[in-house]
Amino acid sequence: MWARAAVRGAVAGLAGVAVMTAGEKLEQQVTGRPDSYVPARTLTALATGRRLPGSARPPVRNHLMHWGTGAAVGALRGVWAAAGLRGVRASAWHTSVRLAVDQTLENVTGVGAPPWTWSRRDQVVDVAHKAVYSFATGAVADRIIAPARGRRGARGLWD
């Protein structure tokens, strides 16, 4: 049952990544911010132990990390939904988890910089996109995953 919830959560996570990516593309049109290849450089460092230069832009690895992280963290949200951790509050907490996963992987590999060294704009953009991901993932997970027997779950959207 928990494995099934994790698989469905991964599917919800992929839906969340799709929504987040669409939002990122809209935001980039407005702000002129370029694509980030930090996910690709992080995946390379995790998989090979070597760091790519900041100018490296491997699109396949970028997509693998972007979508893979979304599916993996979505699996956790699926388990939460089955355990009764549902609704807006769960999605808000899930935003923190998504941010923590990204920052941990990026900084342990030496690819990223601590968020407090970023500009205020970059911080707001990152948190907003990760929140969009988590709330979209949560909406899908809460819809496709029933709480386990004996687990109450939220009664309504704001519970």
Side-chain angles (χ1 to χ4, degrees):
M1 192 224 35
W2 298 110
R4 184 177 183 163
V7 169
R8 288 184 176 194
V11 170
L14 292 173
V17 171
V19 173
M20 177 179 71
T21 302
E24 288 170 335
K25 294 306 174 192
L26 287 172
E27 172 263 319
Q28 287 174 310
Q29 287 180 348
V30 171
T31 65
R33 184 179 63 85
D35 288 338
S36 169
Y37 286 88
V38 169
R41 292 193 292 275
T42 300
L43 179 59
T44 300
L46 287 169
T48 68
R50 65 183 180 87
R51 289 178 47 194
L52 294 175
S55 60
R57 295 184 174 3
V60 172
R61 285 183 229 165
N62 213 47
H63 283 289
L64 284 172
M65 188 66 171
H66 184 68
W67 294 88
T69 302
V73 179
L76 174 65
R77 184 61 174 82
V79 171
W80 285 8
L85 301 169
R86 306 169 69 84
V88 172
R89 286 187 212 152
S91 293
W93 282 105
H94 191 250
T95 301
S96 297
V97 171
R98 176 60 199 257
L99 288 162
V101 167
D102 285 357
Q103 286 305 306
T104 300
L105 295 176
E106 291 168 11
N107 284 282
V108 78
T109 58
V111 172
W116 53 86
T117 65
W118 303 359
S119 70
R120 173 84 56 200
R121 176 184 159 210
D122 287 345
Q123 290 175 15
V124 169
V125 164
D126 193 51
V127 171
H129 289 311
K130 297 315 186 310
V132 166
Y133 159 80
S134 289
F135 280 84
T137 298
V140 174
D142 290 347
R143 179 145 179 94
I144 67 173
I145 301 165
R149 290 181 189 240
R151 306 289 177 155
R152 188 167 71 76
R155 289 183 298 269
L157 180 64
W158 300 104
D159 289 342

